[in-house]
Amino acid sequence: MKIDSAEHVRAAHVDGQFIRDDRPQIAFVGRSNVGKSSLMNRLLGRKKLARISSRPGRTRAVHYYLIERRFYFVDLPGYGYAKVSETERRNWAALVDRYFRSPQAPPLVVLIVDAKVGATPLDAQALEYLTSLEVPVAVAATKVDRVPRGKRSAKLAEVARNLGMTDRSRIILVSATSGEGTKELWREITAFLRAGPQGLDRGAEEEEHDG
Ligand code: GDP
């Protein structure tokens, strides 16, 4: 997908700043340093759109990028950064939780894990949390350029197992460095975007259509 316009439109620190218009949102979440900014940049064909984090753990905001004036890429703060205090950790959880519970149509969540390191217990917790919210999730195992081809299938199985997923086809191997897998990830995103207004404005839709 060739992207012509992508602009940072907001950093939300509190509920009132969340964007609730009818454009669909693709939310990216993952461990600090997992490669989230790099992947977002690669998907958008930008060198540096989302800021590559020099100080992980410092970004405590929900960042919105308006893409082609049509949908948002939402950069959620990374979790599991070892050097933050318990209070900061709680603030992270609260901000992300409020984002997901704010009255907007559910976003597509791209949960990013490290293909080389594998899925950690925190990643599994994140998936469990997202599943409990019933939001659609695509798992992207990034940095796959660091996994030798002969070991990828086993790695995929391991990631699925660690995440407690029975369906491996829901995991996409990607790399921000080589660009591998970004087409497949875009396919997931465009399928979500095409699914149209039933995902976009549930409140209004539900009144008109029953089911
Ligand atoms: P974030 O904190 O999750 O946004 O992570 P960054 O995008 O800042 O990346 C963290 C580190 O991983 C940086 O040193 C990147 O250069 C590196 N990195 C990110 N994506 C890839 C990838 O696909 N392959 C490899 N080999 N390294 C990557």
Side-chain angles (χ1 to χ4, degrees), residues 31-39 52-53 56 142-146 174-177:
R31 221 163 26 77
S32 297
N33 221 32
V34 74
K36 175 159 53 75
S37 317
S38 304
L39 183 60
I52 302 285
S53 44
T142 193
K143 304 189 189 178
V144 73
D145 57 284
R146 296 176 64 205
V174 294
S175 165
T177 302

Side-chain angles (χ1 to χ4, degrees), residues 55-199:
R55 287 195 301 171
R58 302 314 281 176
T59 349
R60 284 287 170 272
V62 173
H63 291 276
Y64 292 84
Y65 298 86
L66 180 59
I67 314 299
E68 308 290 44
R69 300 178 194 282
R70 214 158 59 79
F71 58 95
Y72 296 101
F73 267 20
V74 182
D75 185 3
L76 294 173
Y79 52 80
Y81 185 58
K83 289 181 190 155
V84 303
S85 66
E86 186 55 36
T87 313
E88 278 186 87
R89 241 187 285 275
R90 269 202 300 273
N91 288 345
W92 176 86
L95 183 66
V96 171
D97 196 53
R98 285 199 304 272
Y99 167 77
F100 282 114
R101 292 179 198 281
S102 79
Q104 69 195 3
L108 169 68
V109 181
V110 179
L111 173 64
I112 306 169
V113 303
D114 188 314
K116 171 90 186 205
V117 173
T120 69
L122 274 180
D123 296 327
Q125 266 178 37
L127 181 61
E128 203 179 334
Y129 163 73
L130 294 166
T131 307
S132 77
L133 296 173
E134 298 184 352
V135 292
V137 181
V139 176
T142 193
K143 304 189 189 178
V144 73
D145 57 284
R146 296 176 64 205
V147 181
R149 286 186 188 276
K151 294 191 175 156
R152 291 186 184 179
S153 165
K155 205 68 201 184
L156 192 64
E158 184 196 303
V159 168
R161 197 167 53 243
N162 290 346
L163 288 176
M165 290 169 71
T166 46
D167 182 8
R168 283 192 223 179
S169 67
R170 287 174 50 217
I171 306 174
I172 304 164
L173 297 173
V174 294
S175 165
T177 302
S178 68
E180 287 165 88
T182 48
K183 268 203 185 112
E184 283 94 321
L185 185 49
W186 264 124
R187 255 203 296 281
E188 289 283 321
I189 295 170
T190 46
F192 172 80
L193 295 174
R194 263 194 226 109
Q198 79 272 20

